[in-house]
Amino acid sequence: MTNSRGHHMVLTTFMLPAGYHKDSWRMDGSRADELANFDFVADLTRMAEAAKLDAVFFGDIAHANTVMRGDIKMNGFYEPMTTLAALAAVTKNIGLIGTISTSFYEPYNVARLLAGLDHMSGGRAGWNIVTSSDGFQNFGLTEAPDGPTRYRRAAEFVEVVQKLWDSWEDDAVINDRESGWYVDTSKIHTIDHVGEYFRVQGPLPGPRSPQGRPVLVQAGSSAPGVELGTSVADGIYTAQPLLQPSIEFYADFKAKAAAKGRDPELIKIIPGILPILGETQAEADELAGELARNIHMENGRKQVGADLKLDLSSLDLDEAIPAGWFSEDPSRGSRYHIYRRKSVDQGMTLRELIVDLARSTGHQWMAGTPGAVADRMIEWFEARACDGFNLNAPFNPGGFALICDKLVPELAERGYFRHEYEGTTLRENLGLPYPSSKRESALA
Ligand SMILES: Cc1cc2nc3c(=O)[nH]c(=O)nc-3n(C[C@H](O)[C@H](O)[C@H](O)COP(=O)(O)O)c2cc1C
């Protein structure tokens, strides 16, 4: 490894078969007619595995609001756990990270789902822990509980899931034909959890999974979100469009985790990036223009309005949203303030904002040659603005092919990414240790 940090980047991909760039499913060559079809997502995942990416990452939202506003990007066409289980059967090395909401499930189900995926994939499961800000109408409530309440439930939820994953000691299965006992029951323990939200006896009905505990990723940016991430997450997804704020976020996050006794090197900070690639800068710019020409502007207007909670129906597309329409309230969330800055400080017009949001939804995007995009990624990695990236393919399958065939090899060539998988589990490939069960640590 030739880079100064002594290890390579983490690279995962946000698996959105419709394409991360809004409306890119309208491009020539997209496989839009195959959305919700397994072969399509399996082809994309095999491409990611051939490029030796750490993991494919499936987001999830339990409602159809964005689809009804004309944006199918963050779609419900692929339910994460069922899709990942199917993908486990046709892949060998790549990590399989799925989103499950702590607001809409019970910990016992989630512990089983992820342990099951970990078993079926030989140790490649990961969980993106979200608390969901929408969709509560589908689960018996009229609106979302406030952030601190959702994260209180999430913290207890994760604690219960971890206790359940540890409820079988590593060597509880003895498979002893002589004695007639398949398991050593003295090594299987109830958890007897009684908390504010959950009462769970345990143990799980099956053995500890290959990774001991599947990898935990999280993306909270509010104070309670960061509190959960710094306490439990192995990986942090984050929208960081600018270098300096990302360096500050990285240092602050790792310091908070270290203050809790965690090894900051074992927590991977993974901002998103959307690369639009061309053989030359002119070719990349032309592609960016083609993607922008596919955007349905009126749907874009609705989407920006919904994201910012503003009525933009009367605004000319070539005007900027008036500064006075924005709130400075920090509780509006990090994405809101990214767009407030772009509009107010950088003077972007509504049309430019729609295009920018269509490209990145608040993440960094860059049009350039593979060499130039690799330069930018390396600059961030060396500056400790990140430990790697979540690659957002602007369009599929063509835009993802450019990432896998041109950008990732460039990073590998320059010593910033692997040529071969190091291990067979996601933990091994991320350089994370096998976690001893809580019971063992309590006894030690
Ligand atoms: C890359 C990335 C992916 C995310 N994926 C999801 C998702 O699939 N489902 C979801 O409900 N929230 C998702 N989120 C939202 C976060 O879980 C979180 O709610 C958001 O960053 C705001 O932080 P807060 O919850 O602390 O306010 C994602 C965020 C990021 C940055």
Side-chain angles (χ1 to χ4, degrees):
M1 193 61 50
T2 56
N3 75 66
S4 74
R5 293 189 55 182
H7 59 87
H8 57 67
M9 292 178 186
V10 173
L11 292 180
T12 65
T13 184
F14 204 156
M15 184 55 75
L16 299 173
Y20 195 93
H21 189 296
K22 179 171 146 51
D23 297 336
S24 65
W25 60 271
R26 300 168 83 185
M27 301 256 293
D28 286 345
S30 89
R31 290 170 62 178
D33 50 332
E34 294 178 68
L35 285 176
N37 158 321
F38 180 65
D39 288 343
F40 181 26
V41 76
D43 285 349
L44 294 171
T45 303
R46 286 194 201 95
M47 285 160 67
E49 187 168 64
K52 322 285 181 212
L53 299 192
D54 288 284
V56 287
F57 159 56
F58 283 71
D60 193 45
I61 47 177
H63 60 81
N65 299 356
T66 51
V67 178
M68 301 306 275
R69 285 197 292 270
D71 189 5
I72 60 163
K73 169 177 79 188
M74 186 61 209
N75 65 63
F77 295 113
Y78 293 98
E79 189 287 312
M81 287 299 120
T82 47
T83 310
L84 290 171
L87 289 171
V90 298
T91 53
K92 219 168 145 279
N93 292 103
I94 194 155
L96 305 165
I97 301 175
T99 298
I100 305 179
S101 174
T102 54
S103 296
F104 304 144
Y105 283 77
E106 284 284 322
Y108 199 83
N109 307 121
V110 171
R112 292 192 73 192
L113 279 169
L114 286 153
L117 180 63
D118 209 41
H119 280 294
M120 293 304 107
S121 63
R124 294 185 283 137
W127 173 23
N128 177 38
I129 305 160
V130 302
T131 65
S132 303
S133 52
D134 206 347
F136 286 80
Q137 301 81 349
N138 298 323
F139 299 89
L141 292 177
T142 50
E143 59 181 26
D146 63 24
T149 306
R150 298 201 307 272
Y151 276 106
R152 239 189 6 262
R153 177 182 161 104
E156 188 183 336
F157 194 115
V158 176
E159 182 193 337
V160 175
V161 168
Q162 288 183 323
K163 285 181 183 168
L164 287 166
W165 283 338
D166 295 347
S167 62
W168 288 49
E169 292 183 35
D170 291 321
D171 53 357
V173 173
I174 49 172
N175 187 12
D176 188 347
R177 288 167 198 249
E178 191 76 10
S179 71
W181 279 97
Y182 190 75
V183 293
D184 176 349
T185 52
S186 71
K187 296 189 169 173
I188 304 173
H189 309 278
T190 57
I191 67 164
D192 300 314
H193 175 91
V194 180
E196 184 183 353
Y197 292 95
F198 306 108
R199 175 179 280 264
V200 181
Q201 184 182 48
L204 283 186
R208 203 154 190 253
S209 73
Q211 295 186 102
R213 293 184 204 157
V215 169
L216 300 181
V217 303
Q218 201 260 352
S221 58
S222 61
V226 171
E227 172 61 28
L228 178 65
T230 48
S231 302
V232 302
D234 303 302
I236 294 294
Y237 284 128
T238 173
Q240 297 291 341
L242 300 171
L243 178 64
Q244 197 53 41
S246 196
I247 292 172
E248 285 158 23
F249 173 84
Y250 183 100
D252 182 54
F253 196 95
K254 297 229 172 177
K256 284 190 172 118
K260 292 177 176 170
R262 301 187 67 205
D263 179 350
E265 289 299 314
L266 300 182
I267 305 166
K268 309 294 177 184
I269 307 286
I270 316 169
I273 185 168
L274 180 136
I276 301 175
L277 299 163
E279 288 291 325
T280 60
Q281 184 65 46
E283 204 181 293
D285 291 340
E286 171 50 34
L287 185 54
E290 187 186 341
L291 284 156
R293 283 191 292 281
N294 278 301
I295 299 168
H296 189 299
M297 279 292 161
E298 287 311 312
N299 284 345
R301 178 201 294 273
K302 277 189 215 140
Q303 194 176 353
V304 174
D307 287 353
L308 300 179
K309 297 193 171 53
L310 289 174
D311 177 5
L312 304 175
S313 54
S314 63
L315 205 67
D316 190 288
L317 282 172
D318 294 311
E319 271 179 73
I321 303 172
W325 291 16
F326 284 100
S327 150
E328 292 194 10
D329 177 1
S331 74
R332 285 298 189 98
S334 53
R335 283 226 170 102
Y336 179 92
H337 291 289
I338 288 170
Y339 280 90
R340 185 172 66 85
R341 280 198 297 274
K342 289 193 184 218
S343 193
V344 177
D345 302 346
Q346 296 172 31
M348 276 192 184
T349 63
L350 177 57
R351 185 190 305 281
E352 287 166 339
L353 209 56
I354 290 170
V355 172
D356 197 72
L357 186 74
R359 285 192 179 133
S360 64
T361 50
H363 290 281
Q364 171 174 207
W365 66 271
M366 180 173 172
T369 61
V373 176
D375 284 345
R376 167 88 65 88
M377 292 169 73
I378 288 169
E379 182 193 1
W380 278 51
F381 181 69
E382 289 286 359
R384 289 186 180 266
C386 67
D387 296 307
F389 292 90
N390 191 30
L391 298 160
N392 300 327
F395 61 104
N396 282 319
F400 192 47
L402 289 171
I403 289 175
C404 293
D405 299 344
K406 307 279 186 198
L407 177 60
V408 177
E410 175 87 23
L411 290 165
E413 194 72 8
R414 288 160 68 168
Y416 285 87
F417 196 56
R418 67 166 63 83
H419 290 280
E420 285 305 330
Y421 285 107
E422 295 82 7
T424 57
T425 70
L426 177 55
R427 278 188 176 278
E428 285 164 0
N429 288 320
L430 293 175
L432 301 174
Y434 182 87
S436 63
S437 75
K438 279 204 168 140
R439 182 170 309 280
E440 282 175 32
S441 15
L443 291 176

